[in-house]
Amino acid sequence: MSLSILRLDSSINGAASQSRELTDQTIAKLLGAHPDAQVTTRDLAKNPVPMIDNAWLAAVNTPAEDRSDAQNAIADLSDELIAEVQAADVVVIGVPVYNFTIPTQLNAWIDQITRAKVTFQYGENGPEGLIKDTKAIVVLASGGTKVNSPIDFASTYLNHMLGFVGITDVTYVAADAMFADRDAALENAQASLNALAA
């Protein structure tokens, strides 16, 4: 069975985006090791998913057989996004750091896939993620924020939310704090990229 890859881009900078360039390289690395891999791409900046609201909450919490047409349309998109993650062996997430955290567009996607009794549930031992056997590669680029520093709210949030839905195998390819030393940041990202398991 061929490798299934889900690629998510969230930078608003288009072709000038450092996270997109590194994500391109990450996908190329995976395809080099798995030439027959299938790649599904979602550009969350060019084609953003809707923010969740009261209508979304009502739709996803209404049994499918009781939903209105409008509710079906809302829930169907959430179901589609979740199905893409569930089908993926690897999710590659391109993350530019904006104001010390992830872009709004990526946050909207996370909200769409975080569904009680679908991607997580609560039991006797607390929350349990329901997306199993999926890995994540987070390709992160930042100007002034160092990964794992006190002002890094991007990787800490992503680690928590990915783990919350069951994705606990998370690898980072990070070109962080590029304003301080761009060359060193890119060298570190390349080292992480070269070390990715095939």
Side-chain angles (χ1 to χ4, degrees), residues 96-104 145 151-154:
V97 176
Y98 298 155
N99 297 321
F100 313 106
T101 190
I102 66 173
T104 301
T145 303
I151 60 171
D152 171 25
F153 304 109

Side-chain angles (χ1 to χ4, degrees), residues 77-101:
L77 174 59
S78 180
D79 289 342
E80 180 181 350
L81 296 172
I82 290 169
E84 288 175 352
V85 182
Q86 291 172 327
D89 299 301
V90 182
V91 181
V92 179
I93 308 174
V95 185
V97 176
Y98 298 155
N99 297 321
F100 313 106
T101 190

Side-chain angles (χ1 to χ4, degrees), residues 166-177:
I167 303 173
T168 56
D169 188 342
V170 181
T171 300
Y172 277 80
V173 173
D176 55 347

Side-chain angles (χ1 to χ4, degrees), residues 35-141:
D36 60 344
Q38 302 297 311
V39 182
T40 299
T41 299
R42 284 236 176 224
D43 191 323
L44 301 172
K46 292 181 181 177
N47 298 292
V49 299
M51 302 289 287
I52 63 171
D53 54 17
N54 286 342
W56 181 89
L57 196 62
V60 299
N61 285 302
T62 298
E65 63 273 15
D66 296 330
R67 290 174 186 154
S68 66
D69 289 343
Q71 287 179 324
N72 276 327
I74 292 170
D76 285 351
L77 174 59
S78 180
D79 289 342
E80 180 181 350
L81 296 172
I82 290 169
E84 288 175 352
V85 182
Q86 291 172 327
D89 299 301
V90 182
V91 181
V92 179
I93 308 174
V95 185
V97 176
Y98 298 155
N99 297 321
F100 313 106
T101 190
I102 66 173
T104 301
Q105 295 87 348
L106 180 56
N107 197 88
W109 177 85
I110 290 173
D111 285 344
Q112 287 278 356
I113 69 154
T114 306
R115 293 252 307 270
K117 301 179 182 178
V118 180
T119 57
F120 74 92
Q121 65 185 6
Y122 283 95
E124 293 181 359
N125 298 317
E128 175 192 2
L130 300 178
I131 299 176
K132 307 295 186 182
D133 303 319
T134 297
K135 299 179 180 180
I137 300 173
V138 175
V139 182
L140 183 148

